[in-house]
Amino acid sequence: MAGNDWLNSYLEAILDVGPGLDDAKSSLLLRERGRFSPTRYFVEEVIGFDETDLHRSWVRASTSRSPQERNTRLENMCWRIWNLARQKKQLESETALRVTKRRIERERGRREATADMSEDLSEGERGDPVSDVSAHGGDGGRTRLPRISSADAMETWANSQKGKKLYIVLISIHGLIRGENMELGRDSDTGGQVKYVVELARALGAMPGVYRVDLLTRQVSAPGVDWSYGEPIEMLSSLNTEEDYGDDKGESSGSYIIRIPFGPRNKYIPKEDLWPYIPEFVDGALGHIIQMSKVLGEQIGSGHAVWPVAIHGHYADAGDSAALISGALNVPMLFTGHSLGRDKLEQLLKQGRLSRDEINATYKIMRRIEAEELALDGTEIVITSTRQEIEEQWRLYDGFDPVLERKLRARIRRNVSCYGRFMPRVAVIPPGMEFHHIVPLDGDIEAEPEGNLDHPAPQDPPIWSEIMRFFTNPRKPMILALARPDPKKNITTLVKAFGECRPLRELANLTLIMGNRDGIDEMSSTSASVLLSVLKLIDKYDLYGQVAYPKHHKQYDVPDIYRLAAKTKGVFINPAFIEPFGLTLIEAAAYGLPMVATKNGGPVDIHRVLDNGVLVDPHDQQSIADALLKLVSNKQLWAKCRQNGLKNIHLFSWPEHCKTYLSKIATCKPRHPQWLRNEDGGESSESESPGDSLRDIQDLSLNLKFSLDGERSGGSGNDSLDLDGVAADRSAKLENAVLSWSKGISKDNRRGGSVEKSDQTGKFPPLRRRKHLFVIAVDCDTTSGLLDTTKAIFESAGKERAEGSVGFILSTSLTISEIQSFLNSGGLSPSDFDAYICNSGSDLYYPSLNSDDRPFVGDLYFHSHIEYRWGGEGLRKTLVRWAASITDKGDNNAQVVSPAEQLSTDYCYTFKVRKAGMAPPLKELRKLVRIQALRCHPIYCQNGTRLNVIPVLASRSQALRYLYVRWGFELSKMVVFVGERGDTDYEGLVGGLHNSVILKGVGSSAQVHNNRSYPLSDVISLDSPNIVEATEGSSSADIQALIEKVGYLKG
């Protein structure tokens, strides 16, 4: 710029810290037609294309008439550019440090895990290339499950599925979901995932062997939102396919959208704000599944509940929910991430526009990442669309390591113990499509296009004329791009490639379908910037009459757009920098369009199957132009690619997707509530004497010789919890034998969860007779404080307690022997409580019928719910090694954390913390065990002086859900009393359908529940109507008034 050469010099000085200007890449990016372009540099290199504000400042500066104003603006911009360049270098350095740290931690974890499992892996355990890849879903057609290649093959497979009556539950919480007229693009939460889960539910419901599919989502009855989203149930119409597998259908069969009310009742909120209400959804979904299982049991289960064969969570929020629900029901879980939090965090940090704290505040990213880690802990199978998700996204997580996963799979195939280690399997299953309505143009496809392209006939789709009006010669082949105006979609590079390749411009037209818009000023700044760049490039290369960019189109216009491109013998292109999957490529192939697509991401897998086009480097403008020119100029190549796509497109159909999906589910070990399993004979002869169920529980505990603390009487028995198909040890076999022998629960209770009539109450624990349950989950520093709080809550119940309409549950981190000492010190009886949730939720006891001989009796069926992925002895060794490494350097390296064997039980490893302030955060311990493929739930308790490590899906809140599942006591009739502060599992006790009373001034003095990577507000919504707070020093009368306020103790 004349008179401002100092600006260019300044920018050149900034560039001196990077590659030289003679470098090929620098020359390409920084020089335009032989001279330096600062605009192009800071837009594309320094700050990224998203920094539209700085670009506007440049435009305003360059057009300023006043030299003084122009120089001032340019000087300010120089400082901004310098600051951005400095930030970019700092971010690059921080990223390199994070990557290095993650690699070191991962390698250390692999070494320790391998050392625990064996001294040296055999050749078989190292795995061969085929088996290593197949563990992740296969690398080619030979390593994948056999695909359906004909209608006969599908018919054969369908016949093998007849007789099965599967119940499948899908969960997708956020966005607006309905079966017809989906409002895709209405907001960022209502997009491709909504379409995918609806079509998956519909397709699964039409498969042989599947009786019912429920898609659970949020019920929304809010102003500005259509009334249909407030309907509790919506039946999905079946696919209009020609196949009829003749499967028997019944009254409740088919696919349904089930809308669960949770969160603000009259408000539609984005997914980032849904986190505090997840427990409420879990409780509501649990109620629906239990009720539906009973209904299906009456219809197809001969009176026995039909539990879901799998619960499939979609996205992080649903993955968190699915883990809790599958843990409460003891059924297998599947997980699909769709979009992953760690990957998004990395991308946002690289942009440098937001700090880590700002990112977390905006996107609740740390809460999302922890939910994804929990989903990895609990899921059997992770389903992805492409291998790119595995190689570049899932490997960022502590809970998934592809290398260690292959080693564990090798051991499992050889029936060698994994010592409690587990890694979920990853299955690559591309999304399906509906092809029954697609009719490719076959008649005159090899002939010249009809003349009516110049003047479309009245019967032609309206969108054709809307596009054709842009072209001077509409008969030329059409290059079609269908993408929103997002920098990641790389549309500008496509326009440049088209504009700078004269042979391509002479042979073809370019059509850009970039969403819908009314005015550029009304678009988001990022989208407006991309569109303005496209318009400027059209003007720069004088592409008028050769490029179409219509403002509007409907969802039903998209098939007609594909048909038009195919009619002109055109090409479909996806030039995105990274494409996670590329569903539009499959859609285009179904209409007979060859493709040119990015070589980064899902298109690689699609091209391997369809072989209908060319893959290109999205950064290489020339290769994009060459690939397009090759396809539109070579008619034989075009016809071959078209034919290949049409021949192989059935491999991406919904029946094929569902067949692979159901095959994966079939590999999961069946799990369901243990006390409801069918047993051979003897059901009709069960004893109807009072207390039958509890006596069975008591007999089990006596026969297995459990101590008061639930400790093991023989060997550790933890190797039996390897849960990878390894044979169980002697104690586990004994337990299984006793469980099989015992009836455990009455026939009536197997069939339902309703409360029994008063004349039958002796068959069940006292809690079944209660109208309400008060759960005392206050975590105090001393037992005297807990005793005072307990007595105050007892008094608040008044006459209802005396009449027996209100029962009590004690939920604590104490062992059962410590609870007995607590009761004795306060003059309380074991029968004052209906149940005892102890060891932070890893053990459940009831008051014994023979209180003199044995005051408590353990519920061993509870252990069958929480033992999933329990690491046992392998976990214990890792924890002991970790505890030994935590020392106080200022106190002669004294051990800060030490094992407490006398307090540990089969399902709770306890450690004493000598100095609570020096104990490492829980997130570090969780990371350590996850990296080593161990799954557990660590909890700091007793004012931070004790560490309890329990199974990953065990907790005090999950124990309450177990009581609901087993005994049928509704969660909405529970009142949970907690202190102002508590153990690190405190947050799970506050949310949900139950009412919570927070006792101010009561609880642990140490705020150990802050031991997380996200704020408490991301977990608990204190403005919920289910949560009330008692002022500090509240009397029993005050507590009673609060309980009455939330609708209890009335009448």
Side-chain angles (χ1 to χ4, degrees):
M1 186 178 294
N4 291 290
D5 290 339
W6 61 271
L7 174 62
N8 285 351
S9 300
Y10 186 79
L11 289 171
E12 293 278 3
I14 294 176
L15 296 178
D16 284 344
V17 301
L21 290 178
D22 293 333
D23 182 86
K25 181 178 179 182
S26 299
S27 176
L28 175 65
L29 293 173
L30 307 182
R31 298 184 179 279
E32 194 171 63
R33 296 189 177 180
R35 58 189 178 84
F36 175 67
S37 174
T39 305
R40 188 170 184 178
Y41 170 72
F42 73 72
V43 168
E44 294 187 357
E45 282 297 291
V46 177
I47 52 177
F49 200 88
D50 289 345
E51 187 55 75
T52 56
D53 178 59
L54 192 56
H55 185 270
R56 291 194 184 102
S57 297
W58 178 277
V59 173
R60 286 196 297 268
S62 61
T63 56
S64 297
R65 295 184 177 182
S66 168
Q68 182 178 1
E69 179 184 358
R70 181 165 58 248
N71 286 343
T72 302
R73 286 180 181 271
L74 291 174
E75 184 177 359
N76 290 336
M77 282 191 60
C78 281
W79 284 110
R80 291 173 63 188
I81 293 172
W82 174 82
N83 184 54
L84 287 166
R86 185 188 63 173
Q87 288 183 13
K88 181 180 180 181
K89 284 199 164 295
Q90 182 179 356
L91 287 169
E92 289 174 348
S93 176
E94 292 174 354
T95 300
L97 288 174
R98 283 199 310 273
V99 171
T100 302
K101 182 181 178 182
R102 184 186 300 125
R103 178 179 56 80
I104 293 173
E105 291 173 338
R106 185 62 58 85
E107 290 176 353
R108 184 189 302 120
R110 290 172 187 164
R111 286 196 303 269
E112 294 181 356
T114 302
D116 284 348
M117 290 189 292
S118 70
E119 290 296 325
D120 187 21
L121 289 177
S122 65
E123 194 67 30
E125 288 174 297
R126 292 192 186 98
D128 56 273
V130 174
S131 62
D132 285 355
V133 175
S134 65
H136 295 301
D139 187 38
R142 288 175 297 178
T143 59
R144 293 174 181 162
L145 287 174
R147 293 221 178 239
I148 299 173
S149 58
S150 67
D152 292 338
M154 172 60 88
E155 185 70 24
T156 301
W157 181 84
N159 290 333
S160 69
Q161 302 301 304
K162 289 186 176 181
K164 295 183 179 179
K165 304 282 187 181
L166 302 182
Y167 175 32
I168 299 174
V169 174
L170 311 178
I171 302 177
S172 182
I173 293 178
H174 63 261
L176 297 172
I177 298 180
R178 64 183 179 189
E180 306 296 335
N181 301 318
M182 288 177 276
E183 299 181 79
L184 303 180
R186 184 186 190 276
D187 52 57
S188 60
D189 292 350
T190 309
Q193 178 181 330
V194 169
K195 180 181 180 183
Y196 171 78
V197 294
V198 170
E199 292 186 352
L200 174 61
R202 181 181 282 121
L204 283 173
M207 292 298 290
V210 177
Y211 188 79
R212 182 181 174 99
V213 178
D214 282 343
L215 170 57
L216 309 186
T217 187
R218 181 173 180 241
Q219 185 182 41
V220 181
S221 301
V225 175
D226 191 79
W227 63 270
S228 60
Y229 300 112
E231 291 295 300
I233 300 177
E234 176 185 349
M235 185 174 184
L236 294 175
S237 58
S238 59
L239 292 173
N240 295 320
T241 56
E242 296 180 1
E243 294 92 343
D244 181 8
Y245 302 112
D247 226 28
D248 294 333
K249 299 299 179 181
E251 181 181 351
S252 300
S253 63
S255 301
Y256 298 81
I257 297 175
I258 307 297
R259 299 185 177 92
I260 307 295
F262 70 99
R265 292 295 182 264
N266 299 313
K267 187 178 181 182
Y268 174 54
I269 56 180
K271 59 179 178 291
E272 291 80 11
D273 297 333
L274 282 176
W275 291 110
Y277 310 106
I278 293 296
E280 191 177 346
F281 169 80
V282 170
D283 293 347
L286 200 59
H288 166 78
I289 294 173
I290 292 173
Q291 181 63 29
M292 183 50 57
S293 296
K294 291 165 53 182
V295 171
L296 296 180
E298 296 297 330
Q299 294 179 7
I300 60 175
S302 302
H304 301 286
V306 175
W307 298 99
V309 68
I311 296 176
H312 187 172
H314 294 266
Y315 194 77
D317 47 14
D320 188 291
S321 305
L324 297 176
I325 295 171
S326 71
L329 293 174
N330 193 31
V331 298
M333 171 192 166
L334 312 179
F335 180 54
T336 299
H338 291 277
S339 168
L340 298 182
R342 283 200 188 275
D343 182 62
K344 182 167 186 173
L345 176 61
E346 293 287 331
Q347 298 301 324
L348 291 172
L349 288 174
K350 286 179 182 178
Q351 292 179 9
R353 303 178 64 186
L354 297 173
S355 67
R356 183 179 288 267
D357 290 339
E358 290 171 333
I359 292 172
N360 195 37
T362 304
Y363 299 102
K364 306 296 188 295
I365 202 77
M366 300 312 296
R367 177 67 181 90
R368 173 179 171 183
I369 290 172
E370 182 56 32
E372 290 163 341
E373 292 281 11
L374 177 62
L376 281 174
D377 288 340
T379 189
E380 297 264 4
I381 302 174
V382 174
I383 295 178
T384 69
S385 299
T386 66
R387 288 191 309 280
Q388 183 265 347
E389 293 179 55
I390 306 168
E391 297 163 358
E392 299 184 19
Q393 297 183 39
W394 277 117
R395 70 183 311 137
L396 298 175
Y397 286 78
D398 301 330
F400 183 78
D401 178 3
V403 175
L404 191 53
E405 192 267 354
R406 290 195 291 269
K407 294 179 179 179
L408 294 175
R409 290 293 151 204
R411 297 181 72 92
I412 292 170
R413 285 194 297 270
R414 297 174 59 244
N415 286 329
V416 177
S417 172
C418 294
Y419 293 89
R421 285 170 170 80
F422 162 77
M423 199 73 72
R425 287 174 291 152
V426 180
V428 179
I429 310 178
M433 271 194 62
E434 296 181 30
F435 300 123
H436 64 273
H437 61 285
I438 297 177
V439 181
L441 297 174
D442 287 324
D444 61 341
I445 196 68
E446 299 299 332
E448 289 296 319
E450 295 291 339
N452 63 4
L453 288 178
D454 294 296
H455 303 285
Q459 67 270 20
D460 289 336
I463 192 65
W464 285 19
S465 59
E466 179 65 19
I467 293 174
M468 289 302 178
R469 68 184 177 86
F470 285 89
F471 299 137
T472 302
N473 181 6
R475 296 170 59 87
K476 293 194 295 185
M478 178 192 297
I479 299 171
L480 172 63
L482 186 67
R484 64 184 185 276
D486 188 301
K488 294 181 293 186
K489 298 302 182 181
N490 200 27
I491 298 175
T492 53
T493 301
L494 170 62
V495 179
K496 291 174 188 176
F498 183 77
E500 294 183 7
C501 183
R502 184 172 180 179
L504 186 60
R505 294 201 311 268
E506 292 175 350
L507 280 176
N509 293 321
L510 177 63
T511 298
L512 305 174
I513 307 298
M514 298 179 289
N516 291 282
R517 64 186 184 276
D518 292 322
I520 296 179
D521 293 338
E522 298 176 10
M523 302 172 68
S524 68
S525 59
T526 302
S527 298
S529 175
V530 174
L531 182 59
L532 285 172
S533 298
V534 169
L535 295 177
K536 290 178 181 179
L537 289 170
I538 291 173
D539 185 73
K540 176 182 178 179
Y541 297 112
D542 194 17
L543 300 178
Y544 299 105
Q546 295 176 284
V547 180
Y549 42 94
K551 295 178 67 173
H552 297 284
H553 74 280
K554 301 293 185 182
Q555 185 67 27
Y556 55 75
D557 289 329
V558 174
D560 293 324
I561 296 173
Y562 287 131
R563 289 191 184 97
L564 177 60
K567 190 176 183 66
T568 63
K569 295 187 179 180
V571 177
F572 183 82
I573 180 168
N574 181 338
F577 291 119
I578 296 178
E579 181 59 57
F581 179 66
L583 194 60
T584 53
L585 296 173
I586 299 176
E587 293 175 344
Y591 287 93
L593 278 173
M595 74 171 187
V596 173
T598 176
K599 67 176 184 179
N600 300 327
V604 176
D605 298 300
I606 295 173
H607 180 263
R608 182 180 292 108
V609 175
L610 297 182
D611 189 23
N612 69 328
V614 182
L615 298 178
V616 296
D617 181 353
H619 299 279
D620 190 342
Q621 180 178 310
Q622 188 61 46
S623 68
I624 294 175
D626 291 344
L628 291 170
L629 182 61
K630 183 179 181 180
L631 281 171
V632 298
S633 62
N634 189 332
K635 299 300 182 183
Q636 290 182 341
L637 178 62
W638 183 92
K640 179 181 178 182
C641 289
R642 174 184 179 274
Q643 190 60 38
N644 286 348
L646 292 174
K647 179 178 67 176
N648 299 321
I649 195 66
H650 71 279
L651 298 177
F652 292 98
S653 67
W654 273 118
E656 168 67 17
H657 175 96
C658 292
K659 181 261 181 183
T660 307
Y661 180 95
L662 293 173
S663 299
K664 295 297 181 183
I665 290 180
T667 64
C668 297
K669 180 180 178 181
R671 291 188 288 125
H672 50 79
Q674 292 298 305
W675 66 88
L676 296 176
R677 59 187 171 187
N678 294 333
E679 292 164 355
D680 297 330
E683 271 190 23
S684 59
S685 62
E686 288 182 353
S687 171
E688 297 294 333
S689 62
D692 181 65
S693 298
L694 285 181
R695 284 204 182 97
D696 282 341
I697 297 173
Q698 184 180 19
D699 290 342
L700 285 173
S701 296
L702 292 173
N703 283 322
L704 290 175
K705 297 182 181 179
F706 278 94
S707 70
L708 194 61
D709 287 345
E711 295 178 357
R712 298 172 292 266
S713 58
S716 68
N718 285 308
D719 290 343
S720 66
L721 301 175
D722 200 31
L723 299 180
D724 290 303
V726 181
D729 64 10
R730 182 177 179 277
S731 65
K733 289 179 179 178
L734 173 61
E735 180 177 344
N736 289 332
V738 176
L739 292 178
S740 299
W741 166 80
S742 172
K743 299 304 178 184
I745 192 171
S746 73
K747 179 179 178 181
D748 291 337
N749 192 45
R750 292 184 189 187
R751 293 194 172 189
S754 60
V755 178
E756 298 294 323
K757 297 181 181 179
S758 59
D759 59 347
Q760 293 180 322
T761 55
K763 292 165 41 180
F764 304 102
L767 62 86
R768 287 289 301 267
R769 303 195 296 268
R770 313 299 187 188
K771 290 183 178 179
H772 304 289
L773 281 177
F774 288 3
V775 181
I776 301 176
V778 179
D779 304 314
C780 297
D781 292 343
T782 62
T783 54
S784 61
L786 177 59
L787 183 61
D788 293 340
T789 302
T790 300
K791 290 182 177 179
I793 296 173
F794 278 177
E795 292 176 10
S796 68
K799 64 177 183 178
E800 284 81 1
R801 180 188 176 216
E803 295 172 352
S805 61
V806 172
F808 296 87
I809 295 175
L810 183 61
S811 180
T812 176
S813 61
L814 300 173
T815 65
I816 194 65
S817 60
E818 290 174 322
I819 289 176
Q820 186 176 27
S821 299
F822 160 74
L823 295 177
N824 293 337
S825 66
L828 300 176
S829 168
S831 60
D832 287 334
F833 292 92
D834 293 340
Y836 297 88
I837 300 170
C838 53
N839 293 317
S840 298
S842 62
D843 284 296
L844 177 62
Y845 289 85
Y846 307 101
S848 174
L849 298 175
N850 302 316
S851 57
D852 294 336
D853 183 31
R854 186 178 180 86
F856 308 101
V857 56
D859 188 340
L860 297 183
Y861 292 113
F862 178 64
H863 289 160
S864 71
H865 268 56
I866 66 172
E867 69 179 4
Y868 179 72
R869 302 310 178 201
W870 178 234
E873 187 63 19
L875 173 63
R876 190 192 67 80
K877 289 181 179 179
T878 300
L879 294 173
V880 170
R881 186 166 54 239
W882 166 81
S885 68
I886 310 299
T887 58
D888 183 0
K889 296 181 180 180
D891 189 11
N892 296 324
N893 289 326
Q895 207 166 331
V896 175
V897 182
S898 58
E901 294 291 345
Q902 72 280 7
L903 298 175
S904 297
T905 67
D906 275 348
Y907 295 93
C908 178
Y909 294 144
T910 301
F911 294 80
K912 290 183 178 180
V913 181
R914 192 166 63 89
K915 293 183 179 180
M918 298 189 64
L922 281 184
K923 58 185 178 182
E924 293 185 9
L925 178 55
R926 280 194 292 263
K927 182 176 184 178
L928 171 75
V929 295
R930 281 170 173 162
I931 286 177
Q932 297 196 37
L934 293 165
R935 314 292 166 170
C936 65
H937 181 193
I939 301 168
Y940 279 132
C941 49
Q942 301 289 308
N943 201 24
T945 62
R946 184 181 294 184
L947 171 67
N948 283 345
V949 181
I950 62 178
V952 65
L953 295 179
S955 68
R956 290 187 286 174
S957 57
Q958 284 290 90
L960 295 180
R961 294 188 177 106
Y962 170 85
L963 292 175
Y964 171 42
V965 174
R966 176 157 196 197
W967 302 116
F969 195 93
E970 296 180 16
L971 293 168
S972 60
K973 295 181 179 179
M974 293 183 184
V975 181
V976 178
F977 294 85
V978 297
E980 191 174 3
R981 295 174 299 276
D983 300 346
T984 52
D985 64 344
Y986 168 90
E987 59 196 41
L989 293 164
V990 179
L993 286 182
H994 64 258
N995 286 83
S996 300
V997 177
I998 300 176
L999 304 176
K1000 289 287 187 178
V1002 177
S1004 302
S1005 57
Q1007 296 191 24
V1008 290
H1009 65 267
N1010 289 335
N1011 218 323
R1012 65 176 70 82
S1013 56
Y1014 46 86
L1016 190 63
S1017 59
D1018 289 354
V1019 190
I1020 298 175
S1021 176
L1022 294 178
D1023 59 354
S1024 169
N1026 291 347
I1027 301 175
V1028 295
E1029 297 183 353
T1031 57
E1032 189 170 348
S1034 296
S1035 64
S1036 58
D1038 297 330
I1039 296 175
Q1040 182 178 14
L1042 279 176
I1043 299 171
E1044 291 177 352
K1045 180 181 177 181
V1046 296
Y1048 293 86
L1049 302 184
K1050 290 186 178 180

